[in-house]
Amino acid sequence: MKKNLLLVTAGFAALVAAAPAFGADLAVRHMYTKAPPAPIAAVYDWTGFYIGVNGGWGSSHNSWDFVGPAGLVSEGSHDATGGTVGGQIGYRWQMGQVVFGVEGQGNWADFSGSNVSTSFPADVNRSKVDAFGLITGQIGYAWNNVLLYAKGGAAVTGNHFSVLSTATGAELASANDTRWGGTIGAGLEVGFAPNWSVGVEYDHLFMQDGNLTFVPVVGTPATDRIRQDVDMVTARINYRFGGPAVSRY
């Protein structure tokens, strides 16, 4: 009996002595357990060539002045409004969160409007923008897949101007015109897939004044100076050629 008691006492003492070492080993194992990897933050990359389509609404403000022997005689102004649809192609490159780009855009348009001439009440002056093109540079700031940008450059419009009879509506004289000017604008674009983005854009076109000579079917040719600017809002969708979103790490 005494021998068994001594064996139990010795075994208990050994267990007590080993307990701190076992606990320390558990602490060390717990301390150096590898943490799970952090999630990878995806970054949308705006760099690359892109092509797309756009459509929207525009308004061209046109002011007519008759060029007479005594100088310019005002004939009034009107807004030519309507729809537009077209396409764009460009290239962007991203440096950090700053995005630079160049773009060419060409659109068919149907902006039309008229007013009765304030100097010649028998005539109606009518303006129509048939098409326009933009060649612009861009600079923007990206928040991952959201891009806010400003743009500016050159603009060209194709126009048809006509003089109609107030009484009958018949066309008395007409002239076609292609004029160059400048443009500024801004847009917001959102990438909704690795290579696709949608956006909305506003553009203002400052066009050159132009003297046009109208040759009537019957009568003497007359010259008008026509001033023009254009405002447009379009929705856009682009496809970018290149790889998908890349990871930050």
Side-chain angles (χ1 to χ4, degrees):
M1 183 69 177
K2 184 182 290 185
K3 183 178 179 180
N4 290 340
L5 183 60
L6 289 175
L7 290 174
V8 170
T9 302
F12 180 74
L15 181 62
V16 171
F22 180 72
D25 182 62
L26 286 179
V28 170
R29 288 176 179 270
H30 179 72
M31 182 181 299
Y32 290 102
T33 300
K34 186 177 181 180
I40 295 175
V43 177
Y44 194 90
D45 184 7
W46 291 93
T47 299
F49 287 97
Y50 64 90
I51 189 170
V53 295
N54 70 82
W57 175 90
S59 176
S60 170
H61 186 72
N62 303 271
S63 298
W64 290 47
D65 295 314
F66 173 68
V67 181
L72 298 180
V73 179
S74 175
E75 295 192 57
S77 303
H78 56 264
D79 291 328
T81 61
T84 180
V85 64
Q88 63 274 348
I89 185 170
Y91 182 83
R92 289 180 175 136
W93 59 97
Q94 185 168 348
M95 300 175 61
Q97 289 182 276
V98 180
V99 179
F100 301 93
V102 291
E103 182 182 276
Q105 177 179 340
N107 276 50
W108 166 86
D110 187 18
F111 307 157
S112 61
S114 61
N115 71 283
V116 175
S117 171
T118 57
S119 298
F120 307 98
D123 297 338
V124 174
N125 296 335
R126 183 173 183 269
S127 304
K128 184 174 184 292
V129 178
D130 295 314
F132 67 86
L134 307 177
I135 302 173
T136 56
Q138 298 179 0
I139 183 170
Y141 192 86
W143 293 269
N144 199 5
N145 65 322
V146 178
L147 175 65
L148 178 66
Y149 63 89
K151 62 186 295 186
V156 59
T157 58
N159 310 283
H160 180 75
F161 299 105
S162 54
V163 180
L164 311 178
S165 168
T166 304
T168 66
E171 185 174 283
L172 304 177
S174 66
N176 293 318
D177 174 48
T178 299
R179 61 180 63 188
W180 286 86
T183 181
I184 59 172
L188 178 67
E189 198 163 331
V190 179
F192 64 91
N195 296 86
W196 290 93
S197 59
V198 294
V200 62
E201 183 176 291
Y202 164 77
D203 296 288
H204 180 80
L205 280 58
F206 307 87
M207 307 312 297
Q208 294 178 339
D209 297 350
N211 285 1
L212 295 180
T213 299
F214 292 84
V215 180
V217 177
V218 178
T220 305
T223 300
D224 275 82
R225 168 160 289 195
I226 301 176
R227 300 187 302 275
Q228 179 187 72
D229 58 42
V230 184
D231 292 282
M232 297 178 299
V233 176
T234 54
R236 300 154 59 92
I237 182 167
N238 288 324
Y239 178 82
R240 178 176 53 83
F241 297 93
V246 298
S247 78
R248 186 183 299 274
Y249 306 107

